[in-house]
Amino acid sequence: MKKLILLLLGAFLLSGCFQYKRELILNPDGSGKMILETEIMKGLSFGAEQDEKETMKTAVANLIKSSEGIEAWTGISYKMTEADMIAFKGTAYFKDVTKIKLYNVNAAGIETEKLPNGEIRLTLLRGGKTSKEEQAKVSAKKGKKITPENVGEELARQRAQYKKIRPMLSAIYAMTDNEDIITIFGEVKEYKNITKLDDGRFRYVFKGEEAGKELDALLDNDELMKKTLLEDGALMSTGLESMNIVKNIGEKLGKSVIVYTPKAGRAFDFEQEVLAAKAEMKNIAKELDPKSAPAAQKMTANYEFKASRLAAITLKNYDPKIKGPAFGGNLTEVVFQGVFDGSVVIVDKVELLKAVAEDGGDIAVPKEFYTINPNLNPAGDTVQFAIYLKSLPKGSLGIKELSGKCRVLTASGTAFVDAGFKELKEGEAGSELGAKISTIKERPAQKRGLNKGKAATEESDEEIRIDVKLGFGLVKSVKILDEKGNEMKFSDGGKWGGDNSLSITCNLEGKVPLKGKILLEVYKDLKEGSAAFKFENIKLADFTGAPELKR
């Protein structure tokens, strides 16, 4: 039983933070800002120990990204405490105070209601706000129906169950200390279960130990307990999942209510402050997640090809993925070539918009099959890719229309970035670009010195694979430096990846230096746009590959 209690306590504590201080400044329309101070648990770590700085960033990023109802954050600060918790402070902006749901912070929920006389009733829900969905889940798990005939038996069972877990709850009560301070923009008519401060603000404090005493009193009160069981069902019939003590006693101990007449206007310029906060969010995001490079900026104007043509049209019958009754055994391969007025970095994500045969029939194949990765020349000004279409109808002499577009990325230049590895060893994580050394492997011994007038020697070489959180093609080159800063020789072992992942393999001449450095040449000031192409009334006889078009 003791082990079970400890496991349950651990699960309960991991469900969120029980200590916070929150100051709310509210506009009459429900918008406002919240200055939050809380302590965040670092969370569990499996495998290699995570750097303390990165642990803090991850926890803070989770709070910011996963909290609901928040438009933007500003003034973010955080540090590790002596208790190995993360002390967090930040200001959040929200459009609707009733929609706020902080990630892993058990904050009191807030409800607002506009009364017929124009007044606003604000209710602070002790222990948080339970959604209708959550209430339905709890109701569905209450177990047997409690009636006046069996309520006495159920009361005895509830008290026995509570007695078993009371020591565990004592630890939770000791950790629960919540404070809410609320600024109202209006004339307050009445308030209850909340303290009015000298400066006109309202303060509500919820201490776990006091709540524990009130719950103890609730369990000792026969009349109130029976009434509660008959109305709400067994508070503890499904264990901790439905027995969030703070929520269960919240309604029984009274709500904190403020009724006020709103003033004209607002307490502050919400839109202007949110705009400034969103601008700051870009820097916050970069600080908390430096592993992800900034996304390419969206271009308002599209690129244009200086010149474009169809270089070849041939029939193909080699791709087993596309064979079948859907579009026959043969495919039509169209090779596109386009020239840019200047250099580009990447051309990808070809999208076929329309493919119509001479007779008006649709000859487009499914998106995942209709193209392969475009090939950009070293100068970055010419691209070529193949487009696959259904086999043309028998007797067809051409294609009525072929149109589409592709994504284009440009950059102002490149810069070398130190990946930030403390040591070059397998499993090591860098501080920049999400860099990680996934593998270091020994390669077959190579003979060296044959062309240098020296005796050939066999030396052990190693292969290193580096993973980064960048799109494929966004690392132009790699440098590996030894302990003295000398650049090491290696051959390209290949690159592969996706939209936000890239793996680079380097086959070194020699061993990977433990105290070396890895420099990645990345593009600066990436900008994104698209280039369109369109061809009409394409005649097959115009292509030198015509003999291959026989059916």
Side-chain angles (χ1 to χ4, degrees), residues 421-432:
F421 294 113
K422 292 181 179 179
E423 293 182 325
L424 302 188
K425 61 184 180 181
E426 192 168 299
E428 184 80 0
S431 60
E432 299 295 330

Side-chain angles (χ1 to χ4, degrees), residues 308-360:
S308 61
R309 71 180 187 122
L310 299 181
I313 298 179
T314 57
L315 288 185
K316 297 290 182 181
N317 189 18
Y318 59 78
D319 194 336
K321 292 182 295 184
I322 313 182
K323 288 182 180 180
F327 29 82
N330 288 337
L331 292 171
T332 303
E333 181 189 66
V334 180
V335 178
F336 170 88
Q337 289 180 346
V339 179
F340 295 100
D341 187 10
S343 179
V344 303
V345 172
I346 287 178
V347 178
D348 62 5
K349 298 184 179 179
V350 176
E351 182 179 351
L352 187 60
L353 299 178
K354 187 178 288 188
V356 182
E358 189 180 48
D359 64 357

